[in-house]
Amino acid sequence: MRSRRSGRPRAATAAASVLALAGLTACSSEQAAVDFADAVAEPVVTAAGAAAASVASSRAAFATSDVVFLATDDTVDQLADNSREARLPLLVAGHDDVAAEIERLGAGTLVVAEGSDTPESLTDDHTVIEVDPDATTEAMSLPSLDTDDAHAPVTAVLDPTADHDRSAAVVTANVRAAGGQAIEVPGGDPRATRATVRATTAAKETSWVAVGGSFGTSEQLAARVETATSVPQLPGGGQTLFPGRRLVGLYGTPGTSELGPLGEQGIEASIERAKGLAGDYDDHSEVPVLPAFEIIATVADSEPGADGDHSREVDPDSLRPWVEAAGDAGVYVVLDLQPGHTDFLTQAKRYEDLLKEPHVGLALDPEWRLEPGQRHMDQIGSVAIDEVNTTADWLARLTREHSLPQKTFMLHQFSSHMIADREQLDTSHDELATIIHADGHGSPGLKMGTWRRLQQDLPEDVWMGWKNFYDEDTPTFTPEQTYGVEPRPWFVSYQ
């Protein structure tokens, strides 16, 4: 270790924790100070790049520090551990805000690696201490805190599935140096699993420094943290549907076997049957497979009915026992709409109270959405994308206003014309998991042809679903064959 002086060192600032400058007597016999930061309300998402990450995490963890480690890209890995053990900030040259952060901290002394190409623009007017980056911290005789109980309420939030270059190491070093904690959020969404919700709740009152683009913007992350810590969890845990689980379910209407297997038995027997179906898929999935009901809430009807819309609307009160029993048993529920001559939003609003349940989502079936003059079975229905997006807007707002976990927003489809201008589908709602559900039946060749066509020009952020037919498929796919489809379906229903 050796010291050199570049200009005049800044005066030390008052602070909560005192650092003894042992081993730096060649530079000064004074004591230096570090003051840890208080918690802030909004999380910080730092972009990739060690320099930017060092500034963001230093701001979140430290209020002031007389001494700062200053690394270059070549010395980050060596100095990160040393700065953490010394409980000092680590900054990385290469970002416009590094000089301003040194100024904000009030640092008069910079610790750099011997032989490193540290920019003079950063070292001017500072005392510079050069250390061997391969030496242990003890061998460097670096400052150590007189007390080790002081800490900042700060959390490093890392996505272990992402590539962070050196950003994660830098953020972790600064947070650990300040006495904070590090948690992992695979995929970048704190709502995703029971474990991420638990970790998020424990760290809610701290400042968050999240590393990488998988966390979205700071505003998006703040909203997701609020959701994770304040709304009910889905069956299986967490508040987002995918990719943390897959769903396999029975399709139909209670009380009639003609529309699908869900109506072939009562509530309890249907729950057990759905659980059995999901269990058949467990060995073929890398994530848990949960049972589901897809209940046809409005049934396409050849008769016009009292309102003339050719859609028989099941009384929501008669569906509530099914919805409540499913929720108690950990079964997810999707309400399916076949609106005839009315629109999807009008019918969805009729089931608003059921959709306020945390385990209930919505499906639209355009095959049964008729234009004036059309009749069921004479023509295949279709829907304009504006009607789909308007319904999605309403469902997302309902979810948000009632503090609910993410909901399925499923669109049944087997031909391209059923959803006009599908490329304009709005999938931006964080509250919804949008699914295109392939309803094609017949031979394996026909089903796979439908599957491939539906994925052409597929909008971003869409999950794929699949339907198996007991009678119309020749033969019905086995669970292994169904999950052998690429991409593997996230929602499988049986009709």
Side-chain angles (χ1 to χ4, degrees):
M1 179 196 74
R2 63 192 179 93
S3 64
R4 56 186 170 88
R5 196 179 183 99
S6 179
R8 185 176 61 187
R10 304 177 188 276
T13 59
S17 303
V18 179
L19 292 170
L21 289 179
L24 300 185
T25 52
C27 168
S28 171
S29 60
E30 297 179 359
Q31 287 188 326
V34 60
D35 190 11
F36 301 123
D38 295 327
V40 296
E42 293 296 317
V44 174
V45 178
T46 178
S54 72
V55 173
S57 53
S58 174
R59 287 172 179 168
F62 295 92
T64 63
S65 181
D66 291 347
V67 182
V68 169
F69 273 77
L70 182 59
T72 63
D73 284 339
D74 295 334
T75 61
V76 169
D77 293 335
Q78 296 98 321
L79 294 184
D81 286 342
N82 299 134
S83 65
R84 176 179 56 79
E85 292 177 12
R87 305 202 66 186
L88 290 167
L90 171 67
L91 295 174
V92 182
H95 192 278
D96 292 343
D97 290 341
V98 171
E101 179 61 8
I102 294 172
E103 176 76 22
R104 186 193 70 83
L105 290 168
T109 300
L110 305 178
V111 180
V112 304
E114 287 180 344
S116 62
D117 190 17
T118 308
E120 291 186 4
S121 60
L122 296 177
T123 59
D124 281 349
D125 297 325
H126 294 81
T127 297
V128 178
I129 308 300
E130 294 185 348
V131 297
D132 178 1
D134 295 322
T136 64
T137 305
E138 290 183 359
M140 292 178 182
S141 299
L142 294 172
S144 59
L145 278 174
D146 284 345
T147 59
D148 58 3
D149 56 346
H151 68 278
V154 61
T155 301
V157 190
L158 313 174
D159 177 2
T161 67
D163 181 9
H164 302 304
D165 52 64
R166 295 182 175 90
S167 302
V170 171
V171 169
T172 302
N174 275 332
V175 168
R176 292 292 195 191
Q181 62 179 329
I183 63 174
E184 291 188 343
V185 180
D189 193 332
R191 306 169 299 166
T193 66
R194 184 176 282 112
T196 59
V197 169
R198 186 185 305 116
T200 299
T201 301
K204 184 183 180 183
E205 301 304 321
T206 68
S207 301
W208 274 42
V209 185
V211 185
S214 63
F215 290 95
T217 65
S218 294
E219 292 77 14
Q220 288 173 323
L221 181 56
R224 291 170 179 176
V225 169
E226 181 62 30
T227 296
T229 57
S230 63
V231 310
Q233 295 191 50
L234 292 162
Q239 294 130 338
T240 58
L241 285 154
F242 313 119
R245 81 205 74 218
R246 298 181 192 274
L247 297 172
V248 173
L250 297 174
Y251 177 89
T253 295
T256 175
S257 62
E258 295 179 356
L259 299 176
L262 183 138
E264 294 177 353
Q265 59 279 307
I267 297 176
E268 294 303 324
S270 291
I271 288 173
E272 292 307 310
R273 186 173 177 180
K275 287 183 175 180
L277 270 178
D280 291 340
Y281 281 78
D282 265 330
D283 290 341
H284 310 291
S285 175
E286 77 287 6
V287 295
V289 181
L290 300 182
F293 288 165
E294 185 175 358
I295 300 175
I296 311 172
T298 66
V299 184
D301 199 334
S302 60
E303 298 298 323
D307 53 11
D309 63 7
H310 287 269
S311 179
R312 178 172 59 84
E313 298 171 338
V314 180
D315 185 350
D317 289 340
S318 71
L319 296 181
R320 181 163 289 281
W322 285 77
V323 169
E324 291 181 349
D328 291 342
V331 176
Y332 193 80
V333 176
V334 179
L335 301 181
D336 184 81
L337 304 180
Q338 300 177 355
H341 286 291
T342 189
D343 63 273
F344 283 114
L345 180 57
T346 296
Q347 287 201 332
K349 288 180 177 180
R350 178 174 174 83
Y351 299 92
E352 180 173 335
D353 284 345
L354 293 178
L355 288 166
K356 289 177 183 177
E357 297 293 335
H359 64 290
V360 179
L362 186 66
L364 313 185
D365 199 339
E367 177 184 1
W368 310 106
R369 171 66 170 96
L370 300 178
E371 295 295 326
Q374 290 184 330
R375 294 177 60 86
H376 295 307
M377 308 306 292
D378 290 341
Q379 295 89 17
I380 296 173
S382 63
V383 64
I385 196 62
D386 287 346
E387 183 174 326
V388 174
N389 287 339
T390 298
T391 307
D393 290 344
W394 174 82
L395 185 63
R397 185 168 60 253
L398 181 78
T399 303
R400 185 170 57 251
E401 291 177 351
H402 292 276
S403 298
L404 299 169
Q406 191 179 61
K407 291 187 175 295
T408 58
F409 182 63
M410 189 153 63
L411 306 176
H412 288 279
Q413 189 177 16
F414 56 82
S415 69
S416 58
H417 88 278
M418 289 171 61
I419 305 175
D421 302 313
R422 194 187 67 169
E423 69 277 3
Q424 298 176 28
L425 177 63
D426 183 0
T427 60
S428 65
H429 298 294
D430 217 23
E431 300 85 357
L432 307 180
T434 302
I435 304 168
I436 296 294
H437 194 276
D439 278 6
H441 58 75
S443 68
L446 288 173
K447 291 176 74 74
M448 291 307 302
T450 299
W451 183 253
R452 287 189 291 268
R453 286 194 302 275
L454 292 180
Q455 292 178 70
Q456 294 176 4
D457 301 318
L458 191 69
E460 292 184 357
D461 299 321
V462 168
W463 308 90
M464 290 299 295
W466 175 278
K467 182 178 283 188
N468 282 325
F469 291 81
Y470 285 119
D471 298 327
E472 289 86 355
D473 285 346
T474 53
T476 303
F477 276 36
T478 67
E480 184 176 8
Q481 289 171 325
T482 303
Y483 274 179
V485 170
E486 292 292 340
R488 184 174 296 170
W490 294 95
F491 191 107
V492 175
S493 60
Y494 276 80
Q495 182 174 346

